[in-house]
Amino acid sequence: MKAIKLMDVVKHVGAIDYTANDRTISVTNVEFDARKIQAGGLFIPLVGGSTDGHSYIQQAIDNGATATLWSCDQSEAPSDQLAVVFVDDTLEAFQKLAHFYRNEINPVVIGITGSNGKTTAKDMTASTLKAKYNVHKTEGNYNNEIGLPYTLLHMPEDTQVCVVEMGMSGFGEIEQLSKIARPDIAVITLIGESHLEFLGSRAGIAQAKLEILKGLKENGIFIYPANEPLIETEMPEIDYPIYMRSFGFDDQADVFAYDLAEEPDKTYFKTNIDDNVISMIPVIGAYNVSNALVALSIAEVLDVPSEQAIFQLAQFKLTANRLQWLKTHQGARLLNDAYNASPTSMNAVLTTLSNIELEGVDRKIAVLGDIRELGNMSEQLHRELSHSIDPTIIDKVYLFGSQMTYLYDELKGKFAAEDLVHIEADHAELIATLQADILATDVLLVKSSFGVDLLQVVTALTGQVTK
């Protein structure tokens, strides 16, 4: 990161007071984990739940911290060992500092949210833009009120484009993130059913996602799915001009894809951006083409030559545990998509499993865990997954979790008893049952919400450590 003068920290975090033996110092790294602080660092002692970051101040000092924010009793601050900036709330100060640093570096900021696909769209976008720009992006799942400012504050000084992911579980969260990041380009990948428990309806989800526009710069660009009527009906009032660009599979969209073809580890398609070139993404799933359209739309807006953007798109790497092909100990192929789930994404990947043609495969097996945070729609949405499970194509189904009881009820009349298994809570039982059943000629899909922890099942079956 670019060094930040202590006086700029004091000025922009809304400090109550500060103490420093040398007011001319600068900080060269910012961390909220004392173990990661390096010489010249600013330590952010966050407070939450049972953890108080102030307790780790000595470790931060030992690792070379030059300064710290401080919201505890001023008399307890180690002012004799490093500069101390006193604030009311260290998280809020952290966010203010990130906003200042975003403006100091002043890259083109791209904010991406959506019920599904935001991480993949972020990774694809960063890859395409590398053809022309120095790009910094959100790593892992750093997409919340802590992760987003952390991402901004870790921008290298030469960053030209910063791609940030924005996640949420309730109202107001995306608005806060958007106002911190102040995107030049705002993206919604999809309005799905995630977080229905907290947001009540798809209209509520649309309203929460559209909060990303609250921080969009004047004359900024909003990129959205063309086939989503809720974008129009729930659009917030904005008292300054923005530009809108849609994407989809209909030729009425500003950017659209056609002639899709799927292979086990690739998907091919054409777009109206360049009718003469076949685009490719190194990942299964026609639904991922939507995320590719986001990336190509942004590349076009930022004047990346289409052939370079398409080439870079083909090189992108998926974040771990998303549509990741692995092999089980028995030699079966396993498609690991157990990091997250919604009804939309589960239906989509089940369709992909049904359509995929794999040489040497005798059975297709779906291993599905509960989808969380669906509120009073949970029963209905779990039952409706049955529409994507054709027993003439998918040979066996393993269901895990209490909510999958509803899908089990829907499928009972369609599958033989030995081909439909429901285990409510015992991971060990699921692992043992699968290990006894899997053959080298099988292909398995493993899909669930993260909290269901089917990743431990993936690890047991493949030996591949998952996070």
Side-chain angles (χ1 to χ4, degrees):
M1 66 175 286
K2 178 183 179 181
I4 305 175
K5 295 177 182 178
L6 176 63
M7 297 312 297
D8 282 327
V9 174
V10 172
K11 177 180 178 181
H12 292 284
V13 301
I16 300 168
D17 198 358
Y18 77 101
T19 177
N21 294 327
D22 182 357
R23 299 185 179 191
T24 67
I25 62 170
S26 296
V27 296
T28 56
N29 60 96
V30 178
E31 296 289 347
F32 57 81
D33 185 338
R35 296 168 297 183
K36 294 183 178 180
I37 281 282
Q38 300 175 16
L42 171 66
F43 178 51
I44 313 289
L46 298 177
V47 180
S50 60
T51 302
D52 185 343
H54 295 84
S55 303
Y56 300 93
I57 185 61
Q58 190 57 52
Q59 186 176 16
I61 293 169
D62 293 343
N63 286 338
T66 294
T68 186
L69 300 184
W70 197 265
S71 62
C72 283
D73 189 329
Q74 291 193 16
S75 66
E76 298 177 2
S79 302
D80 58 331
Q81 299 182 69
L82 77 174
V84 179
V85 180
F86 298 102
V87 296
D88 286 323
D89 184 313
T90 53
L91 175 58
E92 183 180 345
F94 181 39
Q95 294 166 345
K96 288 179 177 178
L97 185 63
H99 180 72
F100 159 74
Y101 188 72
R102 174 255 181 272
N103 293 333
E104 187 77 0
I105 301 300
N106 198 29
V108 173
V109 174
I110 299 162
I112 300 178
T113 192
S115 299
N116 300 109
K118 54 185 174 290
T119 298
T120 301
K122 172 215 40 175
D123 291 337
M124 288 180 171
T125 298
S127 185
T128 59
L129 297 181
K130 284 178 182 176
K132 184 174 180 179
Y133 300 101
N134 295 328
V135 180
H136 179 68
K137 69 172 183 174
T138 300
E139 296 297 338
N141 62 345
Y142 272 39
N143 63 9
N144 62 7
E145 74 280 6
I146 297 172
L148 181 136
Y150 185 89
T151 297
L152 293 175
L153 282 163
H154 280 71
M155 278 192 290
E157 187 172 358
D158 64 352
T159 298
Q160 296 170 297
V161 177
C162 184
V163 187
V164 292
E165 181 181 333
M166 299 182 185
M168 63 92 194
S169 58
F171 291 113
E173 295 173 15
I174 295 293
E175 178 176 357
Q176 179 190 38
L177 299 179
S178 187
K179 287 181 175 178
I180 294 169
R182 291 288 287 160
D184 300 271
I185 300 172
V187 178
I188 293 177
T189 59
L190 176 73
I191 305 298
E193 306 88 358
S194 299
H195 312 302
L196 273 172
E197 180 179 358
F198 310 110
L199 299 171
S201 64
R202 287 190 71 249
I205 293 166
Q207 292 164 17
K209 297 300 182 184
L210 283 162
E211 289 175 10
I212 196 170
L213 300 181
K214 300 292 183 68
L216 181 64
K217 284 187 171 181
E218 186 173 350
N219 295 315
I221 298 170
F222 175 38
I223 296 175
Y224 65 97
N227 64 342
E228 181 49 79
L230 287 171
I231 296 293
E232 180 178 351
T233 60
E234 304 302 328
M235 190 79 174
E237 290 188 14
I238 302 171
D239 58 3
Y240 52 83
I242 63 171
Y243 298 93
M244 298 177 64
R245 286 173 59 85
S246 62
F247 65 90
F249 298 95
D250 189 303
D251 62 10
Q252 299 304 303
D254 293 311
V255 176
F256 61 88
Y258 60 99
D259 289 352
L260 276 64
E262 289 185 84
E263 292 185 0
D265 57 355
K266 297 181 182 70
T267 306
Y268 298 91
F269 59 98
K270 287 185 175 181
T271 74
N272 63 317
I273 291 175
D274 192 334
D275 295 319
N276 298 314
V277 179
I278 296 176
S279 298
M280 185 275 285
I281 50 176
V283 61
I284 194 172
Y287 56 94
N288 273 310
V289 173
S290 289
N291 300 319
L293 291 176
V294 168
L296 293 174
S297 297
I298 294 171
E300 184 180 39
V301 166
L302 296 182
D303 297 321
V304 178
S306 61
E307 64 276 9
Q308 293 182 29
I310 289 167
F311 175 81
Q312 285 296 126
L313 182 62
Q315 314 304 312
F316 101 99
K317 303 294 183 186
L318 265 178
T319 297
N321 302 317
R322 290 168 171 85
L323 291 175
Q324 178 184 28
W325 280 110
L326 302 171
K327 276 207 169 182
T328 71
H329 297 300
Q330 296 87 348
R333 279 170 275 197
L334 185 150
L335 185 58
N336 173 24
D337 197 20
Y339 185 83
N340 207 348
S342 70
T344 301
S345 66
M346 192 168 282
N347 280 309
V349 77
L350 282 166
T351 300
T352 292
L353 176 66
S354 298
N355 293 340
I356 191 173
E357 297 295 336
L358 290 167
E359 187 176 346
V361 168
D362 292 332
R363 294 191 304 176
K364 293 181 177 181
I365 299 173
V367 183
L368 309 176
D370 281 355
I371 303 172
R372 299 283 180 85
E373 299 182 359
L374 296 179
N376 59 16
M377 292 290 291
S378 185
E379 177 178 347
Q380 176 186 333
L381 292 170
H382 278 87
R383 288 185 184 279
E384 289 176 353
L385 293 171
S386 63
H387 303 321
S388 298
I389 301 175
D390 184 341
T392 66
I393 299 173
I394 296 177
D395 299 277
K396 194 159 188 175
V397 178
Y398 285 85
L399 302 174
F400 186 82
S402 61
Q403 297 305 296
M404 280 296 169
T405 302
Y406 303 122
L407 179 56
Y408 178 77
D409 290 341
E410 290 294 314
L411 296 177
K412 273 193 297 190
K414 300 179 180 180
F415 284 85
E418 63 270 19
D419 294 329
L420 180 62
V421 177
H422 178 230
I423 296 170
E424 186 157 326
D426 191 338
H427 289 86
E429 181 185 356
L430 176 60
I431 291 166
T433 307
L434 285 167
Q435 286 175 330
D437 184 36
I438 294 171
L439 303 172
T441 54
D442 293 335
V443 60
L444 290 81
L445 164 68
V446 182
K447 177 76 171 175
S448 71
S449 289
F450 181 77
V452 180
D453 196 14
L454 288 194
L455 289 177
Q456 70 167 282
V457 177
V458 174
T459 297
L461 295 179
T462 66
Q464 179 80 33
V465 177
T466 56
K467 297 180 180 179

